[in-house]
Amino acid sequence: DIPIQLTGIVNKDLMQASAQLPVKVTGMLTDPTIEFQPGSLLRFKGQLTETLTVKDARLPLAGSTLSSKGFNGYLNAIVLAEDTIWGDYRVHFAGRSTDFLPDQGNWQWRYWGEGNLLPLKARWDIAGTGSWVDNMVSFETLNTGFDVLTYQHTSMLAPRLTLLTPFRWLRDDKNPLFEGKLKLTSQRIDFPAGGFLDRADFIASVKGQSPFRFNMKGELNAKPTIGPITINTRWDGERLRGQMRWPAQPINAFQSLLPEKLGITLDNGEFYTQADFSIAPQQGLVAGGHLVVKQGNMWLKDGVLEGLDFILPWRLNGDEWQLGVKQPVQLRIKRVNNLFEMTDITADLQGFYPITEAKPLVLSNVKVAMLDGSISMAKLALPQHEAAIISLDNLELSRLFTLLKVTQFAASGKVSGELPFFINNNQWIVKDGWLANSSYLTLRLDKDFVDSIDDSNMTAGVAMAWLRYLEISRSWTRVNLSNLGELVLEAEIQGKNPLEDKRRQVNLNYRHQENIFQLWRSLRFGSQLEEWLEKSLSDLGSESE
Protein backbone atom coordinates (compact mmCIF):
# COMPACT_ATOMS: atom_id res chain seq x y z
CA ASP A 1 0.00 0.00 0.00
CA ILE A 2 2.32 2.69 -1.36
CA PRO A 3 1.24 6.31 -2.12
CA ILE A 4 3.12 7.74 -5.14
CA GLN A 5 2.83 10.87 -7.34
CA LEU A 6 4.08 10.74 -10.92
CA THR A 7 4.67 14.02 -12.77
CA GLY A 8 6.38 14.36 -16.15
CA ILE A 9 6.34 14.73 -19.93
CA VAL A 10 6.88 12.16 -22.69
CA ASN A 11 7.55 13.17 -26.34
CA LYS A 12 7.16 10.84 -29.31
CA ASP A 13 7.38 12.14 -32.89
CA LEU A 14 4.98 15.11 -33.02
CA MET A 15 2.93 14.04 -30.01
CA GLN A 16 3.44 14.99 -26.38
CA ALA A 17 1.98 13.41 -23.24
CA SER A 18 2.05 15.00 -19.80
CA ALA A 19 0.94 13.51 -16.51
CA GLN A 20 0.13 14.55 -12.96
CA LEU A 21 -0.88 11.36 -11.27
CA PRO A 22 -1.26 10.99 -7.50
CA VAL A 23 -1.79 7.24 -7.11
CA LYS A 24 -1.75 4.47 -4.53
CA VAL A 25 -0.15 1.15 -5.45
CA THR A 26 -1.67 -1.97 -3.90
CA GLY A 27 -1.51 -5.73 -4.39
CA MET A 28 1.43 -7.97 -5.25
CA LEU A 29 4.65 -6.31 -6.44
CA THR A 30 4.70 -8.75 -9.39
CA ASP A 31 1.18 -7.66 -10.47
CA PRO A 32 0.29 -4.37 -8.76
CA THR A 33 -2.92 -2.35 -9.02
CA ILE A 34 -2.74 1.40 -9.36
CA GLU A 35 -5.57 3.36 -7.77
CA PHE A 36 -5.82 6.90 -9.15
CA GLN A 37 -6.46 9.51 -6.49
CA PRO A 38 -8.34 12.83 -6.80
CA GLY A 39 -6.53 15.22 -9.18
CA SER A 40 -5.17 12.47 -11.44
CA LEU A 41 -4.96 13.76 -15.03
CA LEU A 42 -3.28 12.53 -18.20
CA ARG A 43 -3.02 14.97 -21.17
CA PHE A 44 -2.01 14.61 -24.83
CA LYS A 45 -1.42 17.12 -27.61
CA GLY A 46 0.27 17.29 -31.00
CA GLN A 47 -0.17 16.55 -34.70
CA LEU A 48 -1.90 13.23 -35.28
CA THR A 49 -2.09 13.36 -39.11
CA GLU A 50 -1.10 15.90 -41.78
CA THR A 51 -4.38 17.75 -41.32
CA LEU A 52 -5.49 16.79 -37.79
CA THR A 53 -3.93 18.34 -34.69
CA VAL A 54 -4.99 17.44 -31.14
CA LYS A 55 -4.80 20.73 -29.27
CA ASP A 56 -5.72 19.18 -25.93
CA ALA A 57 -6.88 15.68 -24.97
CA ARG A 58 -7.56 15.18 -21.25
CA LEU A 59 -8.20 11.91 -19.43
CA PRO A 60 -9.35 12.50 -15.84
CA LEU A 61 -8.51 9.23 -14.06
CA ALA A 62 -9.61 9.92 -10.49
CA GLY A 63 -11.56 6.98 -9.07
CA SER A 64 -10.39 4.43 -11.65
CA THR A 65 -7.81 1.69 -11.30
CA LEU A 66 -5.13 0.31 -13.61
CA SER A 67 -3.67 -3.19 -13.51
CA SER A 68 -2.08 -5.53 -16.01
CA LYS A 69 -5.63 -6.27 -17.22
CA GLY A 70 -6.33 -2.58 -17.94
CA PHE A 71 -8.51 0.25 -16.61
CA ASN A 72 -11.53 -0.36 -14.44
CA GLY A 73 -14.10 2.17 -13.27
CA TYR A 74 -15.17 5.49 -14.68
CA LEU A 75 -13.11 6.55 -17.70
CA ASN A 76 -13.74 9.91 -19.27
CA ALA A 77 -12.04 11.91 -22.06
CA ILE A 78 -12.26 15.46 -23.37
CA VAL A 79 -10.76 16.10 -26.81
CA LEU A 80 -10.17 19.54 -28.35
CA ALA A 81 -8.88 19.21 -31.92
CA GLU A 82 -8.52 21.15 -35.15
CA ASP A 83 -8.49 19.87 -38.73
CA THR A 84 -7.26 22.18 -41.48
CA ILE A 85 -9.95 20.85 -43.85
CA TRP A 86 -12.94 20.10 -41.62
CA GLY A 87 -12.53 22.67 -38.86
CA ASP A 88 -12.29 22.62 -35.07
CA TYR A 89 -14.30 20.59 -32.58
CA ARG A 90 -14.65 19.69 -28.90
CA VAL A 91 -15.92 16.22 -27.93
CA HIS A 92 -16.59 14.69 -24.49
CA PHE A 93 -16.59 10.96 -23.78
CA ALA A 94 -17.92 9.63 -20.47
CA GLY A 95 -18.35 5.98 -19.58
CA ARG A 96 -17.35 2.95 -17.57
CA SER A 97 -14.45 0.66 -18.35
CA THR A 98 -13.78 -2.99 -17.57
CA ASP A 99 -10.20 -4.24 -17.99
CA PHE A 100 -9.78 -1.66 -20.73
CA LEU A 101 -6.68 -0.73 -22.67
CA PRO A 102 -6.56 0.42 -26.30
CA ASP A 103 -7.73 -2.58 -28.36
CA GLN A 104 -8.26 -4.60 -25.21
CA GLY A 105 -11.14 -4.89 -22.75
CA ASN A 106 -14.38 -2.93 -22.71
CA TRP A 107 -15.23 0.77 -22.52
CA GLN A 108 -18.90 1.74 -22.84
CA TRP A 109 -19.50 5.47 -23.26
CA ARG A 110 -21.75 8.25 -24.32
CA TYR A 111 -20.45 11.32 -26.12
CA TRP A 112 -21.43 14.87 -26.92
CA GLY A 113 -19.76 17.89 -28.44
CA GLU A 114 -19.78 20.78 -30.87
CA GLY A 115 -17.63 22.33 -33.59
CA ASN A 116 -17.31 24.25 -36.84
CA LEU A 117 -17.38 22.67 -40.29
CA LEU A 118 -15.11 24.93 -42.34
CA PRO A 119 -15.90 23.81 -45.92
CA LEU A 120 -19.63 24.46 -45.47
CA LYS A 121 -19.47 27.38 -43.01
CA ALA A 122 -21.58 25.55 -40.46
CA ARG A 123 -21.66 25.12 -36.71
CA TRP A 124 -22.67 21.67 -35.48
CA ASP A 125 -23.55 19.76 -32.34
CA ILE A 126 -23.33 16.03 -31.70
CA ALA A 127 -24.56 13.44 -29.17
CA GLY A 128 -24.70 9.66 -29.06
CA THR A 129 -23.50 6.42 -27.51
CA GLY A 130 -20.77 3.93 -28.31
CA SER A 131 -18.22 1.47 -27.07
CA TRP A 132 -14.64 0.23 -27.50
CA VAL A 133 -14.55 -3.54 -27.04
CA ASP A 134 -11.16 -5.12 -27.70
CA ASN A 135 -10.14 -3.83 -31.16
CA MET A 136 -13.70 -2.83 -32.20
CA VAL A 137 -14.74 0.84 -31.85
CA SER A 138 -18.50 1.30 -32.33
CA PHE A 139 -20.75 4.36 -32.58
CA GLU A 140 -24.13 2.84 -31.78
CA THR A 141 -26.23 6.01 -31.97
CA LEU A 142 -25.64 9.47 -33.39
CA ASN A 143 -27.70 12.63 -33.58
CA THR A 144 -25.91 15.65 -34.94
CA GLY A 145 -27.23 18.84 -36.42
CA PHE A 146 -26.04 21.98 -38.19
CA ASP A 147 -27.43 25.48 -38.01
CA VAL A 148 -27.02 25.87 -41.78
CA LEU A 149 -24.70 24.43 -44.43
CA THR A 150 -23.51 27.00 -46.97
CA TYR A 151 -21.38 26.71 -50.10
CA GLN A 152 -21.19 29.03 -53.14
CA HIS A 153 -24.31 30.94 -51.96
CA THR A 154 -26.32 27.70 -51.68
CA SER A 155 -27.61 26.98 -48.17
CA MET A 156 -29.13 23.92 -46.48
CA LEU A 157 -31.42 24.83 -43.58
CA ALA A 158 -31.29 22.90 -40.28
CA PRO A 159 -29.85 19.60 -41.56
CA ARG A 160 -29.70 16.61 -39.17
CA LEU A 161 -27.41 13.60 -39.41
CA THR A 162 -28.39 10.28 -37.83
CA LEU A 163 -27.18 6.67 -38.04
CA LEU A 164 -29.31 4.04 -39.75
CA THR A 165 -26.85 1.31 -38.71
CA PRO A 166 -24.01 1.58 -36.15
CA PHE A 167 -20.59 2.72 -37.35
CA ARG A 168 -17.97 0.09 -36.55
CA TRP A 169 -14.20 0.41 -36.77
CA LEU A 170 -12.29 -2.88 -36.55
CA ARG A 171 -8.71 -1.92 -35.66
CA ASP A 172 -6.97 -4.97 -37.07
CA ASP A 173 -3.57 -4.76 -38.76
CA LYS A 174 -4.38 -7.53 -41.24
CA ASN A 175 -8.09 -7.00 -41.90
CA PRO A 176 -9.13 -3.50 -40.80
CA LEU A 177 -12.75 -2.48 -41.36
CA PHE A 178 -14.72 0.76 -41.05
CA GLU A 179 -18.42 0.69 -42.02
CA GLY A 180 -21.84 2.12 -41.26
CA LYS A 181 -24.92 3.75 -42.75
CA LEU A 182 -26.13 7.30 -42.18
CA LYS A 183 -28.94 9.66 -43.14
CA LEU A 184 -28.74 13.42 -43.67
CA THR A 185 -32.06 15.31 -43.75
CA SER A 186 -32.60 18.99 -44.51
CA GLN A 187 -35.79 21.00 -44.11
CA ARG A 188 -35.01 23.20 -47.12
CA ILE A 189 -32.23 23.98 -49.62
CA ASP A 190 -32.06 27.53 -50.99
CA PHE A 191 -30.18 28.41 -54.19
CA PRO A 192 -28.59 31.77 -55.13
CA ALA A 193 -31.18 32.96 -57.68
CA GLY A 194 -34.14 32.27 -55.38
CA GLY A 195 -35.05 28.65 -56.18
CA PHE A 196 -35.37 26.01 -53.48
CA LEU A 197 -35.94 22.35 -52.62
CA ASP A 198 -38.57 21.81 -49.94
CA ARG A 199 -37.02 18.76 -48.27
CA ALA A 200 -33.96 16.66 -49.08
CA ASP A 201 -32.78 13.29 -47.74
CA PHE A 202 -29.31 11.84 -48.30
CA ILE A 203 -28.77 8.19 -47.32
CA ALA A 204 -25.24 6.80 -47.61
CA SER A 205 -23.29 3.64 -46.79
CA VAL A 206 -19.66 3.95 -45.66
CA LYS A 207 -17.06 1.23 -45.97
CA GLY A 208 -13.29 1.29 -45.69
CA GLN A 209 -10.30 0.61 -43.47
CA SER A 210 -10.58 3.47 -40.96
CA PRO A 211 -12.09 6.96 -40.48
CA PHE A 212 -9.05 8.17 -42.43
CA ARG A 213 -9.55 5.86 -45.42
CA PHE A 214 -13.04 4.92 -46.64
CA ASN A 215 -15.53 4.96 -49.53
CA MET A 216 -19.05 6.34 -49.31
CA LYS A 217 -21.98 5.55 -51.62
CA GLY A 218 -25.24 7.43 -51.27
CA GLU A 219 -28.43 8.71 -52.85
CA LEU A 220 -30.04 12.13 -52.59
CA ASN A 221 -33.81 12.56 -52.95
CA ALA A 222 -35.77 15.79 -52.68
CA LYS A 223 -39.41 16.76 -52.79
CA PRO A 224 -41.51 16.60 -54.79
CA THR A 225 -39.96 14.10 -57.25
CA ILE A 226 -36.26 14.93 -57.62
CA GLY A 227 -33.84 12.01 -57.52
CA PRO A 228 -32.39 9.62 -56.81
CA ILE A 229 -29.06 11.41 -57.34
CA THR A 230 -26.18 9.02 -56.73
CA ILE A 231 -23.08 10.37 -54.96
CA ASN A 232 -19.93 8.26 -54.51
CA THR A 233 -16.88 9.57 -52.63
CA ARG A 234 -13.51 8.29 -51.44
CA TRP A 235 -11.40 9.71 -48.58
CA ASP A 236 -7.75 8.60 -48.36
CA GLY A 237 -6.68 10.80 -45.46
CA GLU A 238 -5.42 13.57 -47.74
CA ARG A 239 -7.96 14.05 -50.50
CA LEU A 240 -11.73 13.65 -50.87
CA ARG A 241 -12.71 12.49 -54.35
CA GLY A 242 -16.20 11.87 -55.63
CA GLN A 243 -18.71 11.60 -58.46
CA MET A 244 -22.30 12.77 -58.69
CA ARG A 245 -24.75 11.34 -61.23
CA TRP A 246 -28.22 12.82 -61.77
CA PRO A 247 -30.22 10.55 -64.10
CA ALA A 248 -32.63 11.87 -66.72
CA GLN A 249 -35.83 13.34 -65.27
CA PRO A 250 -38.74 15.43 -66.62
CA ILE A 251 -37.83 19.10 -66.24
CA ASN A 252 -41.14 19.98 -64.55
CA ALA A 253 -39.77 18.22 -61.46
CA PHE A 254 -37.50 21.25 -61.00
CA GLN A 255 -40.22 23.91 -60.89
CA SER A 256 -39.29 24.92 -57.33
CA LEU A 257 -35.70 25.59 -58.44
CA LEU A 258 -36.88 28.56 -60.53
CA PRO A 259 -37.46 31.87 -58.71
CA GLU A 260 -41.16 32.72 -58.66
CA LYS A 261 -40.46 36.26 -59.90
CA LEU A 262 -39.33 34.86 -63.27
CA GLY A 263 -42.89 33.79 -64.02
CA ILE A 264 -41.74 30.60 -65.75
CA THR A 265 -43.78 27.38 -65.60
CA LEU A 266 -41.95 24.26 -66.74
CA ASP A 267 -43.97 22.05 -69.08
CA ASN A 268 -42.06 19.08 -70.47
CA GLY A 269 -38.59 18.02 -71.56
CA GLU A 270 -35.68 16.11 -70.02
CA PHE A 271 -32.82 17.07 -67.72
CA TYR A 272 -29.72 15.22 -66.53
CA THR A 273 -26.26 16.07 -65.20
CA GLN A 274 -23.08 14.56 -63.77
CA ALA A 275 -20.01 15.88 -62.00
CA ASP A 276 -16.67 14.76 -60.56
CA PHE A 277 -15.00 16.60 -57.69
CA SER A 278 -11.88 16.58 -55.54
CA ILE A 279 -11.07 18.42 -52.30
CA ALA A 280 -7.56 18.64 -50.83
CA PRO A 281 -5.81 21.11 -48.48
CA GLN A 282 -3.45 22.53 -51.11
CA GLN A 283 -5.79 22.71 -54.11
CA GLY A 284 -9.14 23.42 -52.44
CA LEU A 285 -12.19 22.32 -54.44
CA VAL A 286 -11.80 21.17 -58.04
CA ALA A 287 -14.87 19.91 -59.90
CA GLY A 288 -16.13 19.42 -63.41
CA GLY A 289 -19.02 17.92 -65.33
CA HIS A 290 -21.87 18.73 -67.65
CA LEU A 291 -25.55 19.60 -67.53
CA VAL A 292 -28.02 18.79 -70.32
CA VAL A 293 -31.60 19.88 -71.07
CA LYS A 294 -33.31 18.23 -74.04
CA GLN A 295 -36.48 19.39 -75.80
CA GLY A 296 -37.61 21.57 -72.94
CA ASN A 297 -40.91 23.47 -73.13
CA MET A 298 -42.05 26.15 -70.70
CA TRP A 299 -44.66 28.85 -70.25
CA LEU A 300 -43.40 32.41 -69.85
CA LYS A 301 -45.13 35.45 -68.38
CA ASP A 302 -46.28 36.62 -71.79
CA GLY A 303 -45.77 33.62 -74.05
CA VAL A 304 -44.23 30.22 -74.51
CA LEU A 305 -40.81 28.69 -75.16
CA GLU A 306 -40.53 25.47 -77.15
CA GLY A 307 -37.74 23.08 -78.10
CA LEU A 308 -35.02 24.10 -75.62
CA ASP A 309 -31.74 22.17 -75.99
CA PHE A 310 -28.98 23.22 -73.60
CA ILE A 311 -25.55 21.65 -73.02
CA LEU A 312 -23.32 23.07 -70.27
CA PRO A 313 -19.82 21.58 -69.87
CA TRP A 314 -18.17 23.21 -66.85
CA ARG A 315 -15.18 23.11 -64.54
CA LEU A 316 -14.67 24.75 -61.14
CA ASN A 317 -11.23 25.37 -59.62
CA GLY A 318 -11.53 27.20 -56.33
CA ASP A 319 -13.57 30.30 -57.22
CA GLU A 320 -12.81 30.16 -60.97
CA TRP A 321 -15.42 28.77 -63.37
CA GLN A 322 -14.56 27.48 -66.82
CA LEU A 323 -17.67 27.37 -69.02
CA GLY A 324 -17.34 25.10 -72.03
CA VAL A 325 -14.27 22.90 -71.57
CA LYS A 326 -13.69 20.79 -74.69
CA GLN A 327 -16.73 22.24 -76.44
CA PRO A 328 -18.70 25.46 -75.89
CA VAL A 329 -21.84 25.83 -73.85
CA GLN A 330 -24.59 25.38 -76.45
CA LEU A 331 -28.07 26.93 -76.39
CA ARG A 332 -30.64 26.00 -79.01
CA ILE A 333 -34.30 27.06 -78.92
CA LYS A 334 -36.80 26.13 -81.60
CA ARG A 335 -39.36 28.84 -80.85
CA VAL A 336 -40.11 31.65 -78.40
CA ASN A 337 -43.39 33.54 -78.61
CA ASN A 338 -43.17 36.33 -76.06
CA LEU A 339 -44.74 39.55 -77.39
CA PHE A 340 -43.45 38.53 -80.83
CA GLU A 341 -42.21 35.28 -82.34
CA MET A 342 -38.55 34.25 -82.50
CA THR A 343 -37.38 30.93 -83.95
CA ASP A 344 -34.18 28.93 -84.47
CA ILE A 345 -32.29 30.64 -81.63
CA THR A 346 -28.63 29.64 -81.21
CA ALA A 347 -25.81 30.80 -78.91
CA ASP A 348 -22.42 29.37 -77.86
CA LEU A 349 -20.40 30.42 -74.81
CA GLN A 350 -16.85 29.46 -73.86
CA GLY A 351 -14.30 30.86 -71.43
CA PHE A 352 -13.78 31.76 -67.79
CA TYR A 353 -15.51 33.61 -64.97
CA PRO A 354 -14.38 35.85 -63.29
CA ILE A 355 -13.13 37.37 -66.54
CA THR A 356 -9.47 38.37 -66.99
CA GLU A 357 -7.32 39.42 -69.92
CA ALA A 358 -5.57 36.06 -69.93
CA LYS A 359 -8.82 34.13 -69.52
CA PRO A 360 -11.63 35.83 -71.47
CA LEU A 361 -15.27 34.79 -71.94
CA VAL A 362 -16.47 34.54 -75.55
CA LEU A 363 -20.07 34.53 -76.76
CA SER A 364 -20.41 33.38 -80.37
CA ASN A 365 -22.75 31.94 -82.99
CA VAL A 366 -25.65 34.06 -81.76
CA LYS A 367 -28.55 33.98 -84.19
CA VAL A 368 -32.33 34.34 -84.09
CA ALA A 369 -34.93 34.32 -86.85
CA MET A 370 -37.56 37.03 -86.39
CA LEU A 371 -39.63 39.59 -88.33
CA ASP A 372 -39.28 37.39 -91.45
CA GLY A 373 -35.51 37.88 -91.32
CA SER A 374 -32.73 37.23 -88.87
CA ILE A 375 -30.46 38.90 -86.31
CA SER A 376 -27.00 37.49 -85.64
CA MET A 377 -23.75 38.24 -83.84
CA ALA A 378 -20.56 36.38 -84.77
CA LYS A 379 -18.55 37.08 -81.61
CA LEU A 380 -18.52 39.04 -78.37
CA ALA A 381 -15.36 38.69 -76.29
CA LEU A 382 -15.09 39.90 -72.68
CA PRO A 383 -13.02 41.86 -71.75
CA GLN A 384 -14.17 43.73 -74.85
CA HIS A 385 -11.57 45.51 -76.97
CA GLU A 386 -13.56 45.88 -80.17
CA ALA A 387 -17.22 46.20 -81.02
CA ALA A 388 -19.35 43.11 -81.45
CA ILE A 389 -21.18 43.43 -84.75
CA ILE A 390 -24.90 42.69 -84.58
CA SER A 391 -26.07 41.95 -88.13
CA LEU A 392 -29.69 42.52 -89.19
CA ASP A 393 -30.72 40.67 -92.34
CA ASN A 394 -33.96 41.33 -94.24
CA LEU A 395 -36.17 42.36 -91.34
CA GLU A 396 -39.75 43.06 -92.42
CA LEU A 397 -40.85 46.55 -91.35
CA SER A 398 -44.56 45.78 -91.51
CA ARG A 399 -44.08 43.13 -88.80
CA LEU A 400 -42.11 45.61 -86.69
CA PHE A 401 -44.66 48.42 -86.97
CA THR A 402 -47.46 45.99 -86.12
CA LEU A 403 -45.47 45.05 -83.02
CA LEU A 404 -44.89 48.69 -82.07
CA LYS A 405 -48.61 49.43 -82.50
CA VAL A 406 -47.91 52.76 -84.20
CA THR A 407 -51.15 54.29 -85.48
CA GLN A 408 -49.93 57.51 -87.18
CA PHE A 409 -47.97 55.74 -89.94
CA ALA A 410 -47.05 52.33 -91.30
CA ALA A 411 -44.17 50.93 -93.34
CA SER A 412 -43.47 47.75 -95.26
CA GLY A 413 -40.46 46.24 -96.98
CA LYS A 414 -37.20 44.73 -95.77
CA VAL A 415 -34.16 46.36 -94.15
CA SER A 416 -30.69 45.13 -93.26
CA GLY A 417 -27.85 46.64 -91.27
CA GLU A 418 -25.04 46.37 -88.75
CA LEU A 419 -24.96 47.62 -85.16
CA PRO A 420 -21.52 47.80 -83.44
CA PHE A 421 -22.36 46.73 -79.88
CA PHE A 422 -20.40 47.61 -76.71
CA ILE A 423 -20.60 46.21 -73.19
CA ASN A 424 -18.15 48.43 -71.30
CA ASN A 425 -17.89 51.60 -73.38
CA ASN A 426 -18.17 54.66 -71.15
CA GLN A 427 -20.70 56.29 -73.48
CA TRP A 428 -22.17 53.93 -76.08
CA ILE A 429 -24.10 50.71 -76.36
CA VAL A 430 -24.34 51.07 -80.16
CA LYS A 431 -21.97 53.46 -81.97
CA ASP A 432 -22.21 54.35 -85.67
CA GLY A 433 -24.57 51.59 -86.65
CA TRP A 434 -26.46 51.66 -89.93
CA LEU A 435 -29.67 50.41 -91.50
CA ALA A 436 -30.53 50.32 -95.22
CA ASN A 437 -33.35 48.98 -97.32
CA SER A 438 -32.74 45.60 -98.95
CA SER A 439 -35.96 45.89 -101.01
CA TYR A 440 -38.39 48.65 -102.02
CA LEU A 441 -40.00 50.22 -98.95
CA THR A 442 -43.45 51.73 -98.66
CA LEU A 443 -44.38 54.46 -96.16
CA ARG A 444 -48.03 55.28 -95.44
CA LEU A 445 -49.22 58.12 -93.19
CA ASP A 446 -52.58 57.97 -91.47
CA LYS A 447 -55.12 60.27 -93.17
CA ASP A 448 -56.37 61.78 -89.91
CA PHE A 449 -52.79 62.39 -88.84
CA VAL A 450 -51.98 64.29 -92.08
CA ASP A 451 -55.25 66.22 -91.99
CA SER A 452 -54.62 67.37 -88.44
CA ILE A 453 -51.22 68.76 -89.49
CA ASP A 454 -52.75 70.43 -92.54
CA ASP A 455 -55.41 72.12 -90.41
CA SER A 456 -52.86 73.53 -87.98
CA ASN A 457 -50.09 74.39 -90.48
CA MET A 458 -50.87 74.63 -94.17
CA THR A 459 -47.20 74.71 -95.25
CA ALA A 460 -46.39 71.60 -93.22
CA GLY A 461 -49.56 70.00 -94.54
CA VAL A 462 -48.41 70.43 -98.15
CA ALA A 463 -45.10 68.80 -97.32
CA MET A 464 -46.79 65.97 -95.46
CA ALA A 465 -49.04 65.30 -98.45
CA TRP A 466 -45.99 64.10 -100.38
CA LEU A 467 -45.33 61.59 -97.54
CA ARG A 468 -48.91 60.34 -97.33
CA TYR A 469 -47.87 57.45 -99.55
CA LEU A 470 -44.17 57.11 -100.41
CA GLU A 471 -42.42 54.39 -102.40
CA ILE A 472 -38.82 54.42 -101.16
CA SER A 473 -36.03 53.29 -103.48
CA ARG A 474 -33.16 54.16 -101.14
CA SER A 475 -32.91 54.66 -97.40
CA TRP A 476 -29.87 54.98 -95.19
CA THR A 477 -30.12 55.36 -91.42
CA ARG A 478 -27.37 56.01 -88.88
CA VAL A 479 -28.02 54.49 -85.46
CA ASN A 480 -26.51 55.49 -82.10
CA LEU A 481 -27.62 54.30 -78.66
CA SER A 482 -26.07 55.71 -75.49
CA ASN A 483 -25.65 53.73 -72.29
CA LEU A 484 -28.41 55.91 -70.80
CA GLY A 485 -30.86 54.50 -73.34
CA GLU A 486 -30.99 57.52 -75.68
CA LEU A 487 -31.57 56.25 -79.24
CA VAL A 488 -30.82 58.60 -82.16
CA LEU A 489 -31.84 57.72 -85.73
CA GLU A 490 -30.70 59.96 -88.59
CA ALA A 491 -32.26 58.87 -91.89
CA GLU A 492 -31.81 59.87 -95.52
CA ILE A 493 -34.74 58.74 -97.68
CA GLN A 494 -35.30 58.93 -101.46
CA GLY A 495 -38.57 57.93 -103.09
CA LYS A 496 -41.66 58.93 -105.05
CA ASN A 497 -45.31 59.55 -104.33
CA PRO A 498 -47.28 58.20 -107.33
CA LEU A 499 -50.46 59.74 -105.93
CA GLU A 500 -48.99 63.25 -106.22
CA ASP A 501 -46.45 63.01 -109.07
CA LYS A 502 -44.87 59.70 -110.02
CA ARG A 503 -42.01 61.46 -111.82
CA ARG A 504 -40.98 63.80 -109.03
CA GLN A 505 -38.43 62.47 -106.51
CA VAL A 506 -38.88 63.14 -102.81
CA ASN A 507 -35.75 63.58 -100.69
CA LEU A 508 -36.32 63.40 -96.93
CA ASN A 509 -33.84 63.94 -94.12
CA TYR A 510 -35.28 62.71 -90.84
CA ARG A 511 -33.96 62.64 -87.28
CA HIS A 512 -35.65 60.74 -84.46
CA GLN A 513 -34.61 60.64 -80.80
CA GLU A 514 -36.22 58.52 -78.07
CA ASN A 515 -35.29 56.77 -74.84
CA ILE A 516 -35.33 53.08 -75.66
CA PHE A 517 -35.85 52.06 -72.01
CA GLN A 518 -39.11 54.00 -71.92
CA LEU A 519 -40.10 52.41 -75.23
CA TRP A 520 -39.60 48.94 -73.76
CA ARG A 521 -41.86 49.87 -70.86
CA SER A 522 -44.59 50.79 -73.33
CA LEU A 523 -44.17 47.40 -75.04
CA ARG A 524 -45.03 45.54 -71.79
CA PHE A 525 -41.49 44.34 -71.20
CA GLY A 526 -41.72 46.03 -67.80
CA SER A 527 -39.22 48.13 -65.92
CA GLN A 528 -37.37 45.04 -64.72
CA LEU A 529 -35.89 44.58 -68.21
CA GLU A 530 -34.38 48.05 -68.11
CA GLU A 531 -33.02 47.42 -64.62
CA TRP A 532 -31.63 44.05 -65.64
CA LEU A 533 -29.95 45.44 -68.77
CA GLU A 534 -28.48 48.41 -66.97
CA LYS A 535 -27.16 46.23 -64.13
CA SER A 536 -25.82 43.56 -66.52
CA LEU A 537 -23.97 46.11 -68.62
CA SER A 538 -22.52 47.66 -65.47
CA ASP A 539 -21.49 44.31 -63.92
CA LEU A 540 -19.95 42.93 -67.11
CA GLY A 541 -18.12 46.18 -67.67
CA SER A 542 -16.62 46.18 -64.19
CA GLU A 543 -15.63 42.51 -64.51
CA SER A 544 -13.83 43.11 -67.81
CA GLU A 545 -12.00 46.13 -66.39
Side-chain angles (χ1 to χ4, degrees), residues 253-355:
F254 309 100
Q255 182 65 53
S256 68
L257 298 181
L258 298 180
E260 186 175 346
K261 63 183 179 181
L262 292 180
I264 296 175
T265 302
L266 300 176
D267 186 12
N268 55 42
E270 187 177 74
F271 166 96
Y272 60 90
T273 186
Q274 65 180 48
D276 299 318
F277 59 87
S278 173
I279 304 175
Q282 301 300 324
Q283 71 174 29
L285 172 63
V286 174
H290 67 268
L291 179 151
V292 178
V293 177
K294 298 177 65 177
Q295 290 300 302
N297 293 345
M298 58 190 71
W299 296 96
L300 310 176
K301 279 185 177 180
D302 296 305
V304 64
L305 183 150
E306 298 175 349
L308 169 65
D309 288 322
F310 181 63
I311 301 175
L312 172 60
W314 60 274
R315 181 177 173 84
L316 175 63
N317 189 347
D319 293 327
E320 180 187 78
W321 290 89
Q322 183 179 0
L323 305 176
V325 183
K326 295 182 179 179
Q327 64 178 14
V329 178
Q330 295 182 1
L331 174 67
R332 305 290 184 266
I333 301 175
K334 184 178 180 181
R335 174 177 174 267
V336 175
N337 190 353
N338 185 20
L339 187 60
F340 57 92
E341 185 175 74
M342 298 180 290
T343 61
D344 301 324
I345 301 171
T346 67
D348 294 340
L349 183 68
Q350 193 165 28
F352 296 84
Y353 187 86
I355 304 162

